[in-house]
Amino acid sequence: MKRLNVKQAILYVGGILVCQLSWMGCFPLIPAYYTAVCLEDTARGLLSLAMLAGIILFVPLTAAVKYLMALMVILITVKLFEWAEGRCTVFCGAIAATMATAMTSVAGALLDMRGQTGVLVSVLESLFVFSVIMAGTRFINRFLQLSLFPGHPDAGHYKEQRLVNYADSFSGLSKVFYRMSTIRKELSPEQVGRIQDELTGSLCINCDQCAICWEKEESTMSACLAYMIQSLQRTGEPDQEMIVQMQERCPYTDAVIHEAVRIFEKARLNLAWYNRLVENREIIAQQLDAMAYIMEDCASEITEITQENRHLIAEVKFRAKERGVMIQKAHLYENKAKRWQFTCQARSRTNGCISMKELTRAVSAGLGQGMRPHRDERAMISPQGGGVIFEEDTCFHETHAVARRVKDGGCVSGDNYSFLMMENGQMVMMLSDGMGSGSTASKESELVLELLEKFLEAGFSKETALKMMNSAMVIRGEDDLYSTVDICSLDLYTGVCEIYKVGAAATFIRHKNYVEHVDSCSLPVGVSNHLEIRNTEKQLGDGDFLVMVSDGVLEYLQDDETGLEPEEIMCEILKYLSYNRPSQLADALMEEVLSRTGHTAGDDMTILAAGIWRK
């Protein structure tokens, strides 16, 4: 507030000083300066008093009356415009000042009977006033945006460094979990030795023949037990030849074998639990890595570039004011992809509301960059005001649609899908096919998509989101409940489509001249802790279409005569379907597939279609 008061005081002093400047007996800077400052709406009462003092001190009496009348007309006109339209643009203010100056000058010239020369001077003075206002208003606006005093250092860098330090800590902790242990596929020699010691300690030590069987360090009985344990480790059952040999030497062979099987099963169970513990440690390590990634991403996600673009900010404020919107606390940011984000506090200058479209035009024109409001922004700007966020506009726009068919005899589809519009300008299409059909498969695929949506909205990358979702499904530990995952992430800035497939059916891309498909050969999610993710990038252009299908769509696309694969048949179908609306394309594809199956559905069928066009 003190800074603004200092600037206002400078403007008031400037208003007094311009009253000294004359040209051919005229003082054109008086109405020009007054209008330019008055349009900024900075304490017009004090400005009027300052100009009045300057006129009284430096302007002759006859000219003083003329310019006082002009200033009065200018003030009334500006107020009327703001009352009627909610704003007074620079052009309107300049016209009002020009007309007021011209009328008072011409009237005075005619009364003084100075002839054509006085009228000509009046016209030139009016044109000068108009020019000065059109140029000077922008200059005064820039002056009011200047920072007269150095600000306090920003703590943003310190916070970013703390996030980086936290990320390093989480990354180091994940490496500790990875190094703690590894999965074992079979019992170690030490464990086998402990099994043998436990077996002899529980049975042989109480036997009367113990001294005979174990009098030598390398006895025949020791070899039989070792061979039996190896047999149990290989097949889970003792070898019959070994049983015969033991029965010749030990009267308690059946008890020894029974106890050996029991101890070995216990050891196998302990090994399984140990491996499960190792898997959980790996899952925790993956999640720690994911936390480290998101912290590093947050630390370097966005950079403020307000200071080096102060002239652009001033231009935005000027253009917004022209449209009746006052902007304060404006900041300009740039993300890792070099795309801009503009934030500010905006309010309308009058009691009425201003459309967000008006402010969007002002921001785009001021920054020289196509901008759009954040997707959650309100449609109107009220007098009370509030925070507004603008993002760099995308180069493409898209529309999408879906066509579905439930398996014959079923009531719930096991396929689930999602269309997710991300804040970074990416449109994410996801399709999940639960194993089987019905409500169980539907709940499983729905859970998979719900987890993916939450991870992606939290800012995780697609690979990390898939790994964390797979970890959650593995920990859940329900057998035979697996789901395929198909993700297509379309960048609306560049048109690049990233395709991630985990056990999913092929995805098809229809270009203007040809059709291509992307296949998958990985296992569904939840099968293994080590998830194989295939990532493919494709460039889409104006008018291209993206088609995702579930297994049920391709399952019956067989042609025994030509020997074509289902994916090749789908490509041929897409070639001759000339629909340019996703809804029509999806419905036509579904109808074509059903016509080849006799309009029967042996499995759930889902088709997602999306089209992309350049703006």
Side-chain angles (χ1 to χ4, degrees):
M1 193 66 184
K2 292 181 179 180
R3 301 181 186 183
L4 186 59
N5 289 337
V6 171
K7 295 175 185 177
Q8 289 178 349
I10 294 175
L11 291 178
Y12 301 152
V13 173
I16 297 174
L17 296 178
V18 296
C19 295
Q20 300 182 69
L21 304 177
S22 63
W23 170 73
M24 295 183 65
C26 301
F27 296 83
L29 286 180
I30 293 178
Y33 185 87
Y34 180 79
T35 304
V37 179
C38 190
L39 289 174
E40 290 295 327
D41 195 18
T42 55
R44 292 170 179 170
L46 293 177
L47 175 65
S48 300
L49 292 176
M51 297 295 291
L52 176 62
I55 292 174
I56 294 174
L57 291 175
F58 305 111
V59 180
L61 182 59
T62 54
V65 175
K66 163 191 165 182
Y67 288 111
L68 286 175
M69 290 295 297
L71 297 187
M72 185 181 301
V73 172
I74 292 170
L75 181 61
I76 294 174
T77 305
V78 170
K79 286 287 188 180
L80 285 175
F81 267 105
E82 291 178 345
W83 175 78
E85 301 291 334
R87 57 181 178 172
C88 181
T89 63
V90 174
F91 181 79
C92 292
I95 290 294
T98 301
M99 296 297 293
T101 305
M103 287 187 297
T104 54
S105 298
V106 171
L110 293 176
L111 290 175
D112 289 345
M113 301 299 291
R114 292 185 293 176
Q116 298 299 321
T117 303
V119 175
L120 178 61
V121 171
S122 300
V123 172
L124 293 176
E125 180 188 22
S126 301
L127 294 176
F128 180 79
V129 169
F130 181 83
S131 302
V132 171
I133 293 174
M134 295 300 294
T137 305
R138 195 178 299 272
F139 174 79
I140 292 175
N141 182 267
R142 295 285 179 87
F143 170 74
L144 291 174
Q145 308 304 324
L146 290 177
S147 178
L148 300 180
F149 304 99
H152 296 286
D154 188 11
H157 177 72
Y158 172 71
K159 294 179 180 178
E160 291 176 3
Q161 188 59 44
R162 289 190 66 184
L163 282 176
V164 172
N165 294 338
Y166 288 145
D168 292 340
S169 299
F170 277 103
S171 180
L173 190 58
S174 70
K175 294 178 181 178
V176 172
F177 274 95
Y178 276 124
R179 292 197 302 265
M180 285 180 68
S181 53
T182 57
I183 293 179
R184 299 174 184 172
K185 296 183 178 180
E186 58 183 19
L187 298 176
S188 64
E190 292 80 6
Q191 289 176 310
V192 173
R194 285 198 295 270
I195 290 175
Q196 185 170 334
D197 292 341
E198 183 178 352
L199 181 62
T200 56
S202 61
L203 292 178
C204 296
I205 197 171
N206 297 321
C207 178
D208 297 336
Q209 299 183 10
C210 180
I212 299 174
C213 295
W214 300 95
E215 61 181 352
K216 297 180 180 180
E217 185 174 346
E218 296 183 358
S219 63
T220 306
M221 194 64 182
S222 175
C224 289
L225 285 176
Y227 185 75
M228 179 181 65
I229 293 174
Q230 292 176 4
S231 176
L232 288 171
Q233 192 169 358
R234 288 195 307 270
T235 64
E237 296 180 355
D239 186 77
Q240 294 299 322
E241 294 182 5
M242 181 274 301
I243 293 176
V244 174
Q245 293 179 9
M246 285 191 64
Q247 287 176 343
E248 296 175 355
R249 295 173 175 81
C250 180
Y252 305 104
T253 298
D254 294 338
V256 171
I257 293 175
H258 182 270
E259 184 67 13
V261 171
R262 186 191 67 81
I263 294 175
F264 186 82
E265 287 298 327
K266 184 177 69 172
R268 291 283 297 270
L269 181 61
N270 290 337
L271 178 62
W273 279 109
Y274 171 82
N275 287 336
R276 188 60 182 269
L277 177 62
V278 172
E279 290 180 352
N280 289 339
R281 287 173 180 169
E282 291 182 354
I283 291 173
I284 294 173
Q286 291 177 2
Q287 293 174 345
L288 290 173
D289 279 337
M291 292 301 298
Y293 166 82
I294 200 67
M295 287 182 178
E296 290 178 351
D297 188 64
C298 289
S300 60
E301 182 180 12
I302 197 167
T303 304
E304 185 169 2
I305 55 174
T306 304
Q307 291 300 316
E308 51 266 43
N309 293 280
R310 292 191 300 270
H311 61 290
L312 297 180
I313 304 295
E315 185 68 18
V316 170
K317 291 183 177 181
F318 178 79
R319 291 180 179 270
K321 183 179 67 63
E322 284 282 276
R323 290 170 169 81
V325 180
M326 295 298 296
I327 287 182
Q328 297 175 333
K329 299 180 180 179
H331 297 276
L332 187 63
Y333 301 94
E334 185 178 66
N335 61 17
K336 293 187 296 184
K338 304 300 180 181
R339 299 188 183 105
W340 286 1
Q341 183 184 78
F342 179 77
T343 64
C344 65
Q345 294 286 330
R347 64 175 179 84
S348 65
R349 298 178 64 183
T350 61
N351 294 328
C353 293
I354 304 295
S355 171
M356 182 63 72
K357 292 182 180 179
E358 290 292 323
L359 181 57
T360 303
R361 295 189 185 100
V363 173
S364 299
L367 296 179
Q369 184 72 261
M371 304 294 288
R372 62 176 182 178
H374 189 271
R375 59 183 179 180
D376 297 328
E377 285 297 344
R378 56 194 182 277
M380 305 296 291
I381 300 174
S382 65
Q384 291 74 29
V388 183
I389 299 176
F390 289 91
E391 300 165 344
E392 188 173 330
D393 199 7
T394 57
C395 299
F396 296 89
H397 68 91
E398 61 81 31
T399 58
H400 51 261
V402 60
R404 308 181 74 188
R405 177 70 181 265
V406 180
K407 177 182 178 181
D408 291 345
C411 57
V412 179
S413 175
D415 301 340
N416 274 289
Y417 65 92
S418 173
F419 295 98
L420 185 64
M421 183 58 68
M422 305 292 291
E423 293 185 359
N424 57 1
Q426 293 188 356
M427 194 278 291
V428 182
M429 301 167 59
M430 294 184 288
L431 177 61
S432 179
D433 183 2
M435 293 295 100
S437 60
S439 59
T440 303
S442 177
K443 290 179 181 178
E444 189 70 13
S445 59
E446 183 181 4
L447 176 61
V448 167
L449 292 184
E450 185 179 355
L451 288 173
L452 282 175
E453 285 182 348
K454 292 186 180 299
F455 286 135
L456 292 177
E457 288 176 342
F460 292 99
S461 65
K462 282 75 176 181
E463 294 90 345
T464 305
L466 283 169
K467 289 179 181 179
M468 294 187 69
M469 181 272 300
N470 183 70
S471 301
M473 301 303 292
V474 171
I475 292 176
R476 190 182 179 202
E478 295 190 21
D479 296 332
D480 301 327
L481 290 179
Y482 310 125
S483 297
T484 65
V485 176
D486 199 354
I487 301 178
C488 290
S489 178
L490 182 58
D491 192 331
L492 297 178
Y493 287 101
T494 62
V496 174
C497 181
E498 292 183 324
I499 302 173
Y500 300 84
K501 288 188 169 294
V502 184
T507 294
F508 302 87
I509 301 175
R510 193 188 79 178
H511 301 280
K512 291 184 177 179
N513 302 321
Y514 66 98
V515 178
E516 62 177 328
H517 66 276
V518 179
D519 299 321
S520 171
C521 57
S522 59
L523 295 173
V525 296
V527 176
S528 172
N529 183 43
H530 301 282
L531 184 65
E532 180 183 355
I533 302 174
R534 179 179 177 181
N535 176 20
T536 305
E537 284 192 4
K538 296 292 181 180
Q539 179 66 54
L540 272 64
D542 183 44
D544 289 347
F545 279 82
L546 183 67
V547 178
M548 301 168 63
V549 299
S550 60
D551 291 332
V553 175
L554 298 178
E555 186 175 356
Y556 301 101
L557 286 181
Q558 302 290 342
D559 193 335
D560 297 332
E561 295 181 1
T562 61
L564 294 176
E565 294 294 328
E567 291 80 8
E568 296 173 328
I569 297 175
M570 178 63 78
C571 288
E572 293 297 326
I573 295 173
L574 284 170
K575 283 181 182 178
Y576 70 77
L577 288 178
S578 58
Y579 296 104
N580 288 322
R581 293 177 59 185
S583 58
Q584 293 177 338
L585 181 61
D587 292 338
L589 276 176
M590 182 64 75
E591 186 63 28
E592 180 68 24
V593 172
L594 290 174
S595 68
R596 294 170 180 260
T597 65
H599 290 276
T600 61
D603 193 4
D604 299 319
M605 298 182 179
T606 303
I607 299 176
L608 306 183
I612 180 174
W613 293 271
R614 185 173 292 277
K615 291 183 177 179

